[in-house]
Amino acid sequence: MTNESTKNRQMHMFRVLNAPIDLVWEVWTKPEHISQWWGPSGFTNTIKTMDFKAEGDWIFTMHGPDGKNYPNHSIFKEIIPFKKIVFEHFNPHFITTVLFESKGDKTEMDWTVVLDSEEILQAVIKNHNALEGLKQNGEKLQNYLSQKFNLS
């Protein structure tokens, strides 16, 4: 989902998940699931609010392996069941769009994060290893799906 006008300020991940779309959607949209896989390796989560609807709040804390807590606040902007989730994250500000497409017993996931500027993108990559974190997030999602639903 690369957009030429935002290419210099975005992170992108495309992944084929070894799970049907109904399970992928469930683990993206239910706090009891997303709390188990969200974030880079070593992170855990406490979900305070996950009002999964347009203009609904998503407020949670990521707990880092370093013992630090990282508060997060997002607002869901657009939800098309089994197709698309868009949320706006604050501090740093970015828009995340995740597209889903069913491929039989697999699901294509196209995940794009667009920051406000190239400078902010570079700072997030440098200070938080965000590109690797995005990749690890996808790996944790697949691992959670595989373990939770006994997928091979």
Side-chain angles (χ1 to χ4, degrees):
M1 158 144 191
T2 300
N3 178 331
E4 286 305 317
S5 66
T6 61
K7 193 172 187 172
N8 68 336
R9 55 188 177 97
Q10 74 179 23
M11 296 182 293
H12 180 253
M13 174 182 53
F14 179 84
R15 186 172 184 117
V16 178
L17 298 165
N18 186 28
I21 199 162
D22 59 326
L23 293 182
V24 172
W25 190 257
E26 181 178 333
V27 302
W28 261 95
T29 61
K30 303 257 189 280
E32 64 269 23
H33 290 302
I34 204 164
S35 67
Q36 300 301 307
W37 65 266
W38 186 262
S41 298
F43 280 78
T44 60
N45 302 282
T46 302
I47 309 288
K48 180 179 178 191
T49 302
M50 188 174 178
D51 190 11
F52 190 72
K53 65 181 184 185
E55 300 306 318
D57 280 313
W58 183 20
I59 300 169
F60 63 100
T61 301
M62 294 175 65
H63 310 287
D66 57 2
K68 291 182 184 174
N69 290 324
Y70 301 88
N72 283 261
H73 179 213
S74 296
I75 295 177
F76 293 103
K77 303 307 280 181
E78 182 180 7
I79 297 168
I80 302 173
F82 304 100
K83 291 284 182 194
K84 184 179 191 180
I85 299 171
V86 179
F87 61 87
E88 180 178 14
H89 183 272
F90 302 96
N91 195 26
H93 182 260
F94 56 83
I95 303 290
T96 296
T97 302
V98 186
L99 303 174
F100 305 90
E101 188 169 339
S102 178
K103 296 293 181 183
D105 61 350
K106 298 186 186 308
T107 303
E108 290 182 353
M109 180 179 66
D110 193 348
W111 186 335
T112 305
V113 179
V114 179
L115 289 101
D116 291 345
S117 70
E118 186 174 2
E119 294 75 25
I120 295 170
L121 170 66
Q122 294 308 318
V124 167
I125 290 170
K126 180 181 178 192
N127 298 330
H128 300 288
N129 201 13
L131 287 173
E132 180 62 23
L134 182 61
K135 179 182 166 208
Q136 290 174 7
N137 213 343
E139 291 166 357
K140 282 179 65 180
L141 170 57
Q142 179 61 71
N143 290 340
Y144 180 75
L145 285 161
S146 298
Q147 293 167 6
K148 178 72 176 173
F149 299 101
N150 296 315
L151 303 171
S152 53

